[in-house]
């Protein structure tokens, strides 16, 4: 019989019979009805996942496979966190609580019912108690373990590389570079050690020949696990402190317009935050009163805005800046903020007007894409004559610096928190600035959603 005839007969057979019966197309045989031989299960899997073409009367797999979507990038994108990851951190128990809670509950684990031999029953009980400290087994579903909480901490604390750049900077500058990853590494090492010691002791307990041996092995295993946890449990306490510190960080909404107050130390930024928003930062007459990022909120005409108070900046290069100054630069670099730059020309802040001028020019040039508003504070005690520090050169040929010493930058608003001068004008200007910032955020969001949209 020719191969063409075989194929014509094959086309008349229902597809269900083809799948349920054998065939040898390469030998020119057609499928026989009522055949009892069935193909392997893997054959069905091949049919579902591989495409075939008929070549010379035989099925040959084609090179074109069914396209499987690459989920690697999707998984990576889903791992990326937006701002607010610190508020999702799990509650970490102190190491002492984890240890003694697990030991107490593990000792309540009974042996498997139905074991008549006392030695076997005691071996079973000891193995199950040690097992309850390490993992969730079919016999210890209700008991607190040692390894399970540690594993949950490792799973729920985000990796730094998946955090928003702003929060990544907060971790580095607040906790120290590398400390976050080091603590997580120690917690994972503790988990692995607890699991290893527990499995070893459970195996020895299960091999005991008498009830007394089983009890001794059990006590030895519990003591060994307790010793391991006490020696290396400090990593859990360090993780607890890290969680407390990170959860206390202010939450910034990227879709809400944010006003960031910037300037040299002790120029009056915190006082203006108190006037403009609900924020209540500490106000003292010494530099670096603000030792972190402090948040406040503004509600105007049913619109809500954010205000951040930042540590002061000094006249020096980035390599010499302290972590407080780097926090300020991180806010400006990674958050869509409008800048309210505060100047103090009275000489009370500890930074000369000339140095403030240098800092101001550097920051404005670096963050020129931000919306900007200048304010000269403490104008109630600002004299008409410029304040000249001993170390300053009063005979300068820079007319812009001369003007800055007298009235600040061009277009700056003169305000005084003490007598209220200029505050009403400042509030109006701030509101207009934040409304403009809101329009920027909305337009950038539209561009992200539809990059081909032409406005």
């Amino acid at each position: 019989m020719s191969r063409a005839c075989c194929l014509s007969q094959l086309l008349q057979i229902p597809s269900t019979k083809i799948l349920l019966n054998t065939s040898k197309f390469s030998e020119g045989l057609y499928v026989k009805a009522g055949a009892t031989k069935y193909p392997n299960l893997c054959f069905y899997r091949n049919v579902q996942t591989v495409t075939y073409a008929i070549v010379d009367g035989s099925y040959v797999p084609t090179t074109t496979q069914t396209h499987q979507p690459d989920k690697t990038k999707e998984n990576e994108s889903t791992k990326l966190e937006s701002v607010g990851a610190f508020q999702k951190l799990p509650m970490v128990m102190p190491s002492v609580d984890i240890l003694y809670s697990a030991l107490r509950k593990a000792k309540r684990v009974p042996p498997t019912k139905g074991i008549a031999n006392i030695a076997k029953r005691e071996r079973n009980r000891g193995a199950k108690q040690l097992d309850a400290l390490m993992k969730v087994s079919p016999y210890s579903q209700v008991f607190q373990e040692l390894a399970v909480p540690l594993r949950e901490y490792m799973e729920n604390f985000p990796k730094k590389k998946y955090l928003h750049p702003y929060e990544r900077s907060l971790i580095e500058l607040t906790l120290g570079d590398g400390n976050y990853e080091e603590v997580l590494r120690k917690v994972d090492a503790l988990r692995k050690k607890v699991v290893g010691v527990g499995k070893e002791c459970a195996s020895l307990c299960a091999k005991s020949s008498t009830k007394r041996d089983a009890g001794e092995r059990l006590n030895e295993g519990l003591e060994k696990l307790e010793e391991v946890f006490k020696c290396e449990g400090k990593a859990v306490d360090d993780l607890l402190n890290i969680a407390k510190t990170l959860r206390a960080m202010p939450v910034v909404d990227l879709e809400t317009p944010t006003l960031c107050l910037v300037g040299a130390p002790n120029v009056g930024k915190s006082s203006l935050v108190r006037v403009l928003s609900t924020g209540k930062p500490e106000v003292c007459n010494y530099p670096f009163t603000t030792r972190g990022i402090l948040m406040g909120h503004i509600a105007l005409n049913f619109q809500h805005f954010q205000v951040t108070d930042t540590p002061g900046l000094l006249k020096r290069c980035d390599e010499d800046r302290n972590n407080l100054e780097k926090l300020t630069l991180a806010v400006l670099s990674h958050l869509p903020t409008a800048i309210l730059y505060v100047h103090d020309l009275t000489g009370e802040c500890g930074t000369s007007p000339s140095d403030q001028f240098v800092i101001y020019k550097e920051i404005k040039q670096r963050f020129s894409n931000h919306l900007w508003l200048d304010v000269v504070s403490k104008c109630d005690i600002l004299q008409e004559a410029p304040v000249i520090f001993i170390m300053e050169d009063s005979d300068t040929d820079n007319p812009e610096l001369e003007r800055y010493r007298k009235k600040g930058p061009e277009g700056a608003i003169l305000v005084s928190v003490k007598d209220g001068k200029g505050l009403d004008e400042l509030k109006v200007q701030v509101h207009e600035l934040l409304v403009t910032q809101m329009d920027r955020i909305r337009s950038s969001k539209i561009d992200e959603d539809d990059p081909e949209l032409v406005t």
Side-chain angles (χ1 to χ4, degrees), residues 186-206:
K186 290 181 179 179
V187 171
D188 193 41
L190 173 61
R191 179 191 65 82
K192 293 177 180 177
K193 195 166 186 178
V194 166
V195 171
V197 171
K199 284 184 176 181
E200 179 184 355
C201 295
S203 175
L204 293 175
C205 187

Side-chain angles (χ1 to χ4, degrees), residues 103-261:
L103 291 175
R104 184 176 61 253
K105 293 182 179 181
K107 288 180 180 180
R108 300 176 189 170
V109 178
T112 303
K113 294 181 179 180
I115 302 178
N117 185 280
I118 296 177
K120 289 183 179 179
R121 186 166 64 245
E122 199 65 21
R123 291 200 306 266
N124 178 267
R125 183 176 71 89
K128 284 178 62 178
Q129 287 184 6
L130 290 168
D131 183 61
L133 293 171
M134 297 179 299
K135 60 183 180 179
V136 178
S137 71
Y139 308 106
S140 58
Q141 294 283 347
V142 297
F143 298 100
Q144 180 69 34
E145 321 83 3
L146 286 176
V148 171
L150 303 181
R151 186 182 70 239
E152 290 176 351
Y153 298 155
M154 295 302 302
E155 292 174 351
N156 294 318
F157 271 79
K159 293 183 179 180
K160 197 172 73 172
K161 64 180 180 179
Y162 296 130
L163 289 172
H164 187 276
Y166 167 67
E167 292 181 326
R168 194 159 57 239
S169 299
L170 287 182
I171 285 182
E172 294 173 356
L173 298 174
T174 305
L175 304 178
D177 192 14
N179 288 342
Y180 178 78
E181 298 92 329
E182 179 67 15
V183 171
L184 287 177
R185 186 192 64 78
K186 290 181 179 179
V187 171
D188 193 41
L190 173 61
R191 179 191 65 82
K192 293 177 180 177
K193 195 166 186 178
V194 166
V195 171
V197 171
K199 284 184 176 181
E200 179 184 355
C201 295
S203 175
L204 293 175
C205 187
K207 296 176 182 179
S208 302
S209 57
T210 64
K211 176 182 177 180
R212 182 177 178 180
D213 289 343
E216 290 178 354
R217 297 283 177 84
L218 172 61
N219 292 331
E220 290 175 2
L222 294 177
E223 290 175 0
K224 196 170 183 180
L225 282 172
E226 185 176 357
E227 182 182 356
V228 168
F229 213 84
K230 282 184 175 180
C231 291
E232 303 183 21
K234 185 180 179 297
V236 179
D237 297 327
D238 292 340
L239 190 65
L240 171 62
N241 294 328
I242 285 177
K244 287 181 179 180
T245 302
L246 295 182
R247 272 195 294 267
M249 294 291 178
V251 181
V252 181
D253 185 0
L254 296 180
E255 296 185 0
T256 301
T258 304
L259 180 71
C260 182
L261 277 77

Side-chain angles (χ1 to χ4, degrees), residues 39-60:
N40 243 334
L41 182 60
C42 60
F43 173 73
Y44 294 111
R45 292 176 180 170
N46 291 337
V47 170
Q48 295 173 359
T49 58
V50 184
T51 57
Y52 288 84
I54 299 177
V55 179
D56 294 332
S58 299
Y59 276 125
V60 178

Side-chain angles (χ1 to χ4, degrees), residues 70-104:
D70 186 9
K71 296 183 179 180
T72 305
K73 293 184 178 180
E74 295 179 7
N75 293 336
E76 290 180 355
S77 62
T78 56
K79 290 180 181 178
L80 292 175
E81 294 283 352
S82 59
V83 172
F86 296 158
Q87 279 61 48
K88 303 175 186 176
L89 296 177
M91 299 300 296
V92 181
M93 294 175 60
S95 59
V96 175
D97 293 352
I98 295 176
L99 174 61
Y100 288 109
S101 176
L103 291 175
R104 184 176 61 253

